[in-house]
Each structure stands twice: as structure tokens, then as C-alpha cells.
Amino acid sequence: MRYDDIADELDEVLVTGEQMAQRLDELAREVERDYAGLDILLVGVLKGAVMVMADFARALQRPVTMDWMAVSSYGHGTTSSGVVRILKDLDTDIDGRHVLIVEDIIDSGLTLSWLRDNLLSRGAASVKILAALRKPDAVKSDITADYLGFDIPNKFVVGFGLDYAENYRHLRDVAVLAPRMYAQSE
Ligand code: PRP
């Protein structure tokens, strides 16, 4: 970890920035093949997906457009209520569009399950999912990533867009947050 002043706040690095960049390059080649001759609209889910969107979109060697949503998962982390609130909606009419959702992580899969159905109900021609990371609990939902970076263990991770209380999103690596950082507030 290059950030000496927070090194003691983090445990092991699970995915380095270099590993993520290489994997996103591979996924970009797959997406280019799969969407040959089709327009793609990348939909990023704020805020966590900012980093993966920036890196993945720039790895694509073909035209692409981007839009953003912000959603809030009510009951997230406790009960899977299925209630998701839109905090910021798309600016784009997606009727007939091929949408590729870009996410940082699939944890329970609740957010993406709802989002996929929501975008399909607006008339998207197709909705696929690219996720940088996936946790084991995701296999309990009906969500599968069409394009997946890495499976990671069920630990509290930060970096590459993922936060704890809005901190650490800017780290290039995905690292396990030291439990003592959140033990007292839970
Ligand atoms: C995180 C992450 C996904 C979601 C995944 O977002 O960015 O959107 O949770 O969890 P799930 O698979 O259990 O639904 P969060 O709500 O923390 O907002 P953020 O992106 O602004 O950090």
C-alpha cells in the first residue's frame, strides 16, 4: 500500500490496482466482441462505480456512451426488503438501448436485481451487468454478473470506489479494512 499514513487502518490487499486494470482490459475485449455492431450505453451506479466506470470505459477501444444512477437500498445490510429508492435517475431514454450496468461490487445482489428489472421495464433492448467484485453471498440471489472482475471473501473491503463512511474510495487497491476501524461503531 502506497499510503503510509493510513497503512495501519488496512489489513491485506485483496486485489491490486494493477490486477484490476489488467482484468478490466480483458473484460473490455470480451465486451467489444459481444457487442460488435451494437451501440452500448454504460450505466454506472453512484458512487462506488465511479472508479470501475472510469477505468473500464477507457479500456474500451470502441465508441460508447455513459449515464449514471444513484440508488439507495433501504434495509441494506440487515433485511433484504427489496425496496430501492432512486436518488438520481438516468438522463437518457433507454428504450431500445443495449445497457451494460457497471458496478463496483455485488454483495447481496439486491441492488442489481432491482436495477436490472427497472431498466428492462423501461424498454431496454438488453441489460447486462459488469461488476468489478463479487462476494459469496451474491450466489444466494438470482443475479449473475455477465462480466466479473474478481470474487472476494466476505470481508469488509475498501478502495477502488468502495468506502467506509465515505473514506478510502480513492485507493487504487482493494483492501480489507482493519476491524478495529469499525468495531466500535457497530
Ligand atoms: C454498494 C455498492 C452496490 C451495492 C451492492 O453501494 O456500490 O451498489 O452496495 O450491495 P448489494 O449487492 O447488497 O445490493 P452503497 O449502497 O454502499 O452506495 P455507494 O456506491 O454510494 O457506496
Side-chain angles (χ1 to χ4, degrees), residues 45-50 70-73 76-77 80 84 103-113 138 141 143 161-163 166 169:
V45 186
L46 296 168
K47 305 170 197 167
V50 167
V71 298
S72 157
S73 310
H76 190 212
S80 293
V84 175
E103 258 286 30
D104 50 344
I105 190 163
I106 309 178
D107 192 340
S108 70
L110 175 67
T111 306
L112 276 173
S113 178
S141 77
I143 277 296
L162 292 157
D163 74 308
E166 298 300 329
R169 290 193 197 274

Side-chain angles (χ1 to χ4, degrees), residues 9-14 153 155-158 174-179 182:
E9 299 173 17
L10 305 168
D11 285 346
E12 79 266 37
V13 170
L14 296 181
K155 294 182 173 176
F156 199 132
V157 293
V158 295
V174 177
V176 177
L177 186 65
Y182 54 87

